[in-house]
Amino acid sequence: MSLKLPPLSLYIHIPWCIKKCPYCDFNSHTAQDSLPEREYCQALIDDLTADLHLVQGRSLQSIFIGGGTPSLFSAKSFNYLLKEIQQKIPFADDIEITLEANPGTFEQAKFSGYYQIGINRLSIGVQSFQSQQLQRLGRIHNSQEALRAIDMAKKAGFHNINIDLMFGLPKQSIDDALFDLNQAISFSPMHISWYQLTIEPNTVFFSKPPKLPDDDSLFAIQQAGQKLLHKAGFQQYEISAYAKEKHSSKHNMNYWEFGDYLGIGAGAHGKITLPDKDKIYRFWKTRMPKDYLDLSKNYLAGHRDILPEDRPLEFLMNTLRLNNGVPSHYFLDRTGESLQSIYNQLDSAQKQSLLMPFSNQLQATPKGLLYLNTLLENFM
């Protein structure tokens, strides 16, 4: 069989927020007066224990604690959680452990605690440094709190910091977008995630959509922002990800390179390869926190096989997001399918100048990155 075991990561979902943002379609729920931290951490451990047979002798290359707002939980809870995980699955020597944090939940002692227990990367959900925009986005923090949060993170010891920013916000001009980027750059983070606000179903913005910039304005903002980021030493390595040298997100790179990941927590998703069964499948966990904490119910809510005929598209939907693509042999290793099986589609994409000429790398052209959906249509 051609399938090989790819690297393994772990995603941990903390489903609570202080307030649900109107653009958010993630599995997040408004927190009540107190959170069941201890019970939830124990459920996470039990959930992981049930999935240990999927590890198949691998170590964890990265852990990402997302949400929701994971920074609502204490360092003590995460210390317990990480120690229990490490007893069950070995950590790679250079493991990346990321925690998502909301500027409205920052306390110096808490974040110093996160750093001391081994969390070595912080992703701060700023979205904008302009209070009026933050208000429009329904964020619980203002611009001063955003600035203070990044400063606190650095004082806590964090060097590897990601700042999350959005563009294409209501009434946003090019100058507004560049102001946000310049503020982020001034803190010298190692990584900036800069992505376009999109209106998703099942959100407040979907039922009451704000007026967003038109396509021409969005293109102009994107071009100006990319130029500024490049000038500041950030290399774009994925459609919405920019990093200083050697600081690409290991965890997200594993997603985009079609690696494997376990998912634990309410609504968490995972993807696993079973080479001995020539099988790749995705799975997801019980979505509602109260059901996830109910000992009489299963953590696993469902799964689906990625059929051999669907693997090329699923692989390319992820890997072609990367500016440099992936080594060509990943296709065979991680789908079990030969590149020869999609030769005609590859040839068509190259003739449209959407895919680089075939070599040791599967890589979109700059035009292909700009028109990724058109590129992927070749493989549908």
Side-chain angles (χ1 to χ4, degrees):
M1 292 184 183
S2 303
L3 276 176
K4 294 182 180 177
L5 268 182
L8 181 68
S9 295
L10 172 65
Y11 175 73
I12 302 169
H13 192 73
I14 309 295
W16 292 283
C17 280
I18 291 175
K19 176 188 171 188
K20 180 92 170 178
C21 297
Y23 59 84
C24 177
D25 69 336
F26 295 145
N27 184 34
S28 61
H29 305 266
T30 303
Q32 304 305 314
D33 294 337
S34 62
L35 292 174
E37 280 192 47
R38 179 177 295 184
E39 295 88 344
Y40 192 75
C41 286
Q42 187 56 56
L44 289 169
I45 295 301
D46 293 343
D47 187 0
L48 180 66
T49 302
D51 286 347
L52 287 180
H53 64 289
L54 303 174
V55 174
Q56 302 171 87
R58 291 173 286 184
S59 59
L60 286 176
Q61 305 302 306
S62 65
I63 297 174
F64 194 101
I65 307 169
T69 305
S71 50
L72 291 174
F73 274 28
S74 66
K76 182 180 178 181
S77 291
F78 286 131
N79 188 40
Y80 164 72
L81 186 60
L82 291 173
K83 283 184 173 179
E84 289 289 318
I85 292 169
Q86 191 169 16
Q87 286 183 7
K88 297 177 185 301
I89 311 175
F91 287 6
D93 291 341
D94 59 347
I95 189 170
E96 174 193 274
I97 304 177
T98 302
L99 176 79
E100 279 189 337
N102 186 321
T105 62
F106 261 77
E107 300 164 21
Q108 190 69 58
K110 182 192 277 188
F111 281 82
S112 295
Y114 291 153
Y115 182 75
Q116 289 162 14
I117 65 171
I119 292 170
N120 55 21
R121 185 173 183 272
L122 209 57
S123 183
I124 306 175
V126 171
Q127 313 312 353
S128 175
F129 287 99
Q130 297 171 72
S131 290
Q132 189 176 32
Q133 285 290 10
L134 290 168
Q135 197 170 11
R136 287 175 183 144
L137 291 172
R139 302 296 286 175
I140 64 168
H141 65 275
N142 59 35
S143 59
Q144 287 306 307
E145 287 171 321
L147 296 168
R148 191 163 62 246
I150 301 168
D151 187 54
M152 278 193 212
K154 299 189 88 167
K155 286 177 178 174
F158 286 99
H159 168 70
N160 195 0
I161 294 173
N162 169 59
I163 297 175
D164 259 357
L165 289 174
M166 287 183 175
F167 71 90
L169 306 180
K171 302 180 181 179
Q172 188 180 51
S173 66
I174 293 178
D175 287 344
D176 291 335
L178 295 184
F179 173 83
D180 281 346
L181 284 174
N182 273 312
Q183 285 280 57
I185 290 165
S186 72
F187 283 98
S188 301
M190 291 296 105
H191 194 287
I192 293 176
S193 297
W194 190 54
Y195 49 93
Q196 183 183 332
L197 170 64
T198 54
I199 307 300
E200 303 291 347
N202 303 314
T203 64
V204 173
F205 274 0
F206 188 76
S207 55
K208 298 177 182 177
K211 185 172 175 56
L212 303 180
D214 60 31
D215 288 346
D216 289 342
S217 299
L218 287 170
F219 185 74
I221 288 171
Q222 193 168 22
Q223 293 292 103
Q226 288 174 343
K227 185 177 179 181
L228 174 62
L229 285 161
H230 182 73
K231 186 178 178 183
F234 289 88
Q235 298 300 314
Q236 183 182 17
Y237 67 97
E238 188 268 344
I239 287 173
S240 58
Y242 303 78
K244 292 290 180 73
E245 189 175 3
K246 297 181 181 177
H247 281 87
S248 302
S249 165
K250 286 185 184 178
H251 191 84
N252 288 339
M253 282 295 292
N254 193 41
Y255 287 156
W256 294 322
E257 291 180 342
F258 211 56
D260 277 1
Y261 50 98
L262 298 171
I264 59 173
H269 285 238
K271 176 234 165 202
I272 287 294
T273 303
L274 301 174
D276 59 331
K277 296 182 179 178
D278 189 28
K279 183 175 180 178
I280 308 172
Y281 73 99
R282 298 190 183 277
F283 62 90
W284 51 96
K285 301 298 174 62
T286 299
R287 183 176 174 84
M288 296 300 293
K290 65 179 178 61
D291 293 330
Y292 186 82
L293 289 167
D294 186 338
L295 296 177
S296 69
K297 297 185 178 179
N298 290 327
Y299 296 117
L300 185 66
H303 63 87
R304 70 169 180 88
D305 287 356
I306 304 176
L307 300 175
E309 58 267 30
D310 296 329
R311 292 176 191 173
L313 178 60
E314 291 230 10
F315 175 89
L316 294 168
M317 282 174 67
N318 287 279
T319 56
L320 292 180
R321 293 178 62 91
L322 294 168
N323 280 37
N324 294 327
V326 292
S328 299
H329 68 83
Y330 277 22
F331 186 83
L332 177 62
D333 293 349
R334 300 188 181 183
T335 70
E337 304 298 308
S338 165
L339 273 173
Q340 198 63 33
S341 66
I342 56 166
Y343 175 81
N344 289 338
Q345 295 97 312
L346 291 169
D347 186 54
S348 172
Q350 286 173 10
K351 287 176 178 174
Q352 297 170 64
S353 301
L354 298 173
L355 197 68
M356 297 290 273
F358 184 74
S359 64
N360 293 326
Q361 202 76 358
L362 267 174
Q363 182 181 0
T365 62
K367 180 183 175 184
L369 286 167
L370 200 57
Y371 300 101
L372 186 60
N373 287 340
T374 303
L375 168 55
L376 292 171
E377 282 171 8
N378 286 280
F379 305 96
M380 291 178 178

